[in-house]
Amino acid sequence: MTADPNPADLLARGELTVRGRIREASNAALFCTVALDGREASCVYKPVAGERPLWDFPDGTLAGREVAAYEVSEATGWGLVPPTVLRDGPYGEGMCQLWIDVRPEAELLALVDGEEPEPGWKAIGFAEVGEGRTALLVHADDERLRRLAVLDAVINNADRKGGHLLPTAGGDLYGIDHGVTFNVENKLRTLLWGWAGEPLTLEAVDVLKGLRDGLEGELGRRLAALIAAAEIDATRARVDALLTSGVHPEPSGEWPAIPWPPV
């Protein structure tokens, strides 16, 4: 099937048909097709009614946060989040996101022996692997992952697991599952700590400057329909902090740095 030139329009206006349930998801996630004017695509639909309450996020807000993450991703120009919209569906309002076919053989994470990563890899930390053994958990020193680490710092992603990384046969990389983002408190929890404390790339600095301007204009207006005003203010503050420090953030020590389970 040829790629749709405007997948967000198809997702927003197409007829949504549920085909099955994605059982691995912690909240209700339905595999669907969406069709409009002869166009069709596979997608994921997460109805607000299927969201489990969380102690640190207001009820019924996860779908809006998923769409807000897409809006910020689009504003970076990096295209790191699949097209995502908020729409009505068979089980009420929810998030609808384009389905991504993954290239499973792409290696982005690994467990290795030794105390230092090999060239081309970045260390995350040590993990217990059974029988009293530990191994070094590493991620690829990959430009796409580095961009995603910057995006996660901006949106305050509290759950960047390995299973949320979707590499494609065409060389793209997408991040998914952004329901626990944009909290006003620092909750960054990720596997992508390999660049912690290192200088941001010049590209990232330019992108962050663009986000700062966008948050005062059109991007800020788009986010206002999806997340709270205080959360938009906190996003601005995180962008400013990144530009002021000029480096990738490091774990705060006030919140678990790595999600569990990590994959």
Side-chain angles (χ1 to χ4, degrees), residues 111-115 125-137:
L111 282 168
V112 299
D113 293 324
E115 297 188 357
F126 290 96
E128 293 185 9
V129 293
E131 299 180 354
R133 289 183 59 246
T134 60
L136 184 63
L137 182 61

Side-chain angles (χ1 to χ4, degrees), residues 198-213:
E198 293 188 14
L200 295 165
T201 65
L202 293 178
E203 177 195 47
V205 170
D206 286 342
V207 164
L208 289 167
K209 290 177 179 178
L211 286 180
R212 182 172 59 188
D213 293 342

Side-chain angles (χ1 to χ4, degrees), residues 142 164 190 236 244 259:
D142 186 304
H164 299 167
T190 175
R236 291 191 189 98
T244 298

Side-chain angles (χ1 to χ4, degrees), residues 67-78:
V67 182
Y70 167 69
E71 293 289 353
V72 175
S73 169
E74 287 299 282
T76 67
W78 286 336

Side-chain angles (χ1 to χ4, degrees), residues 1-15 33-42:
M1 181 170 54
T2 303
D4 192 290
N6 191 358
D9 176 68
L10 173 60
L11 291 170
R13 299 197 298 120
E15 181 179 358
T33 54
V34 61
L36 177 69
D37 299 333
R39 297 177 290 158
E40 183 173 300
S42 299

Side-chain angles (χ1 to χ4, degrees), residues 184-229:
V184 295
E185 299 180 7
N186 180 14
K187 291 186 178 291
L188 183 59
R189 187 167 57 177
T190 175
L191 286 178
L192 304 180
W193 287 116
W195 298 281
E198 293 188 14
L200 295 165
T201 65
L202 293 178
E203 177 195 47
V205 170
D206 286 342
V207 164
L208 289 167
K209 290 177 179 178
L211 286 180
R212 182 172 59 188
D213 293 342
L215 286 165
E216 298 298 332
E218 179 61 24
L219 176 60
R221 288 189 286 272
R222 295 176 77 88
L223 293 183
L226 300 166
I227 58 176

